[in-house]
């Protein structure tokens, strides 16, 4: 039996919408052609597929059987076409990405390497932001998506998001303060040393400020760095003690744990050495095509 796929496609749309008129609108053709095609298909199959009425059409038992199989076939073909179109779309173009430095160094660099190998025709435009700046840039459509760090458990409203990994921060010091690196340091003692932090308008500053406050202390850094990459050079030059992601590429500075009191993430584990953050991807719904940047591509939470 040699029946054109177009006949089955038209049958699918009529069955889907239960209407010849709606099917014609969806297929951008006129209703008489739809009616003729259905009659030809019924003649070729030797059975009636629809019962017609003033309210539209409904499937006969034979039509229900056919529809259950045709539906799967048509939708699988449409899915395959969409995947091919998506692959072609990723052969050229630009992806604009906003990211924090911590997210870049702790997660994103190897992902970008893999992405470039898979899609060499895509240009990447990467902008350095704080978390709040990245969210604002995404909201204003200055970037396509953002990969940021936020205090563990915190969400940024107005975006779809997915947690990518957790990052533990530790206190680090230069040679001048190296005696601190060999023991657990009470938070009240640590607060008496010169501290280096990101600026007061960042989520990191807000996280540490809350942590110190919950333990009855004031968080008063002597230096506020504009970017996370500025903290380690200042630490190495003995300007103070900073908090950085655990196991960064360090050269000579020591690390230790800040002891005493509830940790920054509120888990009551006695400090834990620093704050725990989450690296998250942010998107504005309903944009999805550039989500190929992240391996696995599970659904994002709304």
């Amino acid at each position: 039996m040699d029946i054109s796929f177009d006949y089955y496609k038209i049958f699918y749309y009529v069955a889907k919408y239960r209407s010849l008129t709606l099917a014609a609108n969806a297929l951008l053709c006129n209703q008489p052609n739809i009616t003729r095609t259905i009659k030809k298909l019924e003649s070729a199959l030797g059975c009636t597929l629809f019962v017609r009425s003033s309210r539209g059409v409904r499937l006969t038992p034979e039509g229900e059987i056919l529809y259950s199989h045709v539906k799967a076939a048509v939708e699988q073909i449409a899915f395959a076409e969409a995947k091919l179109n998506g692959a072609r779309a990723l052969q050229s173009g630009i992806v604009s990405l906003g990211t924090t430095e911590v997210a870049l160094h702790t997660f994103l660099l190897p992902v970008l390497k893999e992405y470039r190998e898979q899609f060499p025709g895509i240009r990447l435009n990467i902008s350095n932001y704080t978390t709040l700046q990245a969210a604002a840039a995404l909201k204003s459509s200055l970037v396509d998506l953002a990969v940021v760090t936020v205090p563990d458990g915190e969400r940024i409203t107005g975006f779809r998001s997915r947690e990518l990994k957790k990052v533990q921060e530790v206190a680090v010091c230069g040679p001048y303060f190296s005696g601190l690196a060999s023991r657990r340091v009470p938070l009240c003692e640590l607060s008496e040393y010169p501290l280096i932090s990101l600026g007061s308008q960042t989520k990191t500053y807000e996280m540490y400020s809350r942590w110190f406050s919950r333990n009855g202390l004031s968080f008063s850094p002597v230096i506020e760095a504009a970017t996370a990459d500025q903290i380690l050079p200042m630490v190495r030059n003995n300007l103070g003690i900073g908090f950085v992601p655990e196991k960064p590429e360090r050269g000579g500075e020591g690390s230790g744990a800040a002891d005493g009191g509830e940790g920054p993430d509120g888990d009551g584990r006695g400090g834990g050495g620093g704050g725990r953050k989450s690296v998250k991807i942010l998107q504005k719904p309903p944009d999805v095509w550039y989500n190929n940047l992240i391996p696995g591509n599970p659904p994002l939470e709304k």
Side-chain angles (χ1 to χ4, degrees):
M1 187 179 296
D2 187 15
I3 299 176
S4 169
F5 172 73
D6 288 337
Y7 286 17
Y8 288 117
K9 185 175 181 180
I10 289 172
F11 164 78
Y12 165 79
Y13 277 96
V14 175
K16 178 181 179 180
Y17 292 112
R18 300 295 196 268
S19 168
L20 295 168
T21 301
L22 293 179
N25 291 339
L27 293 166
L28 302 177
C29 63
N30 58 58
Q31 186 173 327
N33 284 339
I34 298 291
T35 302
R36 270 194 305 271
T37 299
I38 294 299
K39 288 181 177 179
K40 288 179 180 179
L41 181 60
E42 290 177 326
S43 176
L45 294 174
C47 63
T48 301
L49 300 173
F50 294 100
V51 175
R52 295 153 180 84
S53 70
S54 59
R55 300 181 62 181
V57 298
R58 62 180 176 84
L59 289 164
T60 63
E62 294 84 357
E64 291 283 4
I65 293 172
L66 182 63
Y67 181 62
S68 66
H69 294 281
V70 170
K71 179 177 183 290
V74 172
E75 291 179 356
Q76 282 296 314
I77 291 171
F79 178 72
E81 289 175 343
K83 289 194 71 173
L84 290 173
N85 288 335
R88 284 197 298 270
L90 288 172
Q91 289 176 3
S92 62
I94 300 174
V95 174
S96 296
L97 172 67
T99 184
T100 62
E101 288 175 344
V102 172
L104 180 68
H105 291 297
T106 62
F107 173 79
L108 200 53
L109 286 175
V111 175
L112 292 174
K113 178 178 181 294
E114 182 178 335
Y115 188 80
R116 287 286 300 136
E117 291 172 351
Q118 188 174 358
F119 305 108
I122 299 293
R123 291 174 53 197
L124 295 174
N125 185 355
I126 300 174
S127 300
N128 179 38
Y129 292 116
T130 66
T131 295
L132 294 179
Q133 288 171 344
L138 183 58
K139 185 176 182 179
S140 302
S141 299
L142 297 177
V143 296
D144 295 315
L145 75 162
V147 179
V148 300
T149 46
V150 297
D152 195 29
E154 185 169 318
R155 295 182 61 182
I156 299 179
T157 59
F159 302 95
R160 300 195 309 165
S161 66
R162 173 160 57 90
E163 183 177 291
L164 303 171
K165 72 173 295 184
K166 292 187 183 296
V167 177
Q168 177 69 46
E169 292 199 339
V170 295
V172 292
C173 61
Y176 185 77
F177 304 102
S178 60
L180 300 175
S182 61
R183 61 185 177 90
R184 294 186 68 85
V185 181
L187 188 61
C188 59
E189 179 185 348
L190 188 69
S191 67
E192 297 176 359
Y193 286 89
L195 300 177
I196 303 171
S197 169
L198 288 175
S200 59
Q201 302 303 311
T202 64
K203 286 288 184 181
T204 295
Y205 187 101
E206 182 182 316
M207 177 182 69
Y208 282 108
S209 182
R210 287 200 304 262
W211 180 32
F212 275 66
S213 178
R214 281 201 302 266
N215 288 280
L217 300 168
S218 173
F219 181 62
S220 303
V222 297
I223 298 177
E224 293 183 17
T227 67
D229 279 353
Q230 293 177 350
I231 294 178
L232 275 182
M234 293 180 185
V235 166
R236 290 190 181 111
N237 283 276
N238 301 309
L239 295 178
I241 296 168
F243 292 97
V244 298
E246 194 170 22
K247 295 181 180 177
E249 295 178 1
R250 294 199 288 264
E253 67 280 358
S255 65
D259 199 4
E262 186 179 276
D265 48 0
D267 62 3
R269 295 186 312 143
R276 187 182 299 140
K277 299 179 178 179
S278 297
V279 178
K280 289 191 174 186
I281 179 174
L282 304 181
Q283 289 181 217
K284 289 195 305 182
D287 300 324
V288 294
W289 72 270
Y290 43 73
N291 199 36
N292 289 278
L293 183 65
I294 304 302
N297 195 21
L300 305 179
E301 66 183 71
K302 295 184 179 179

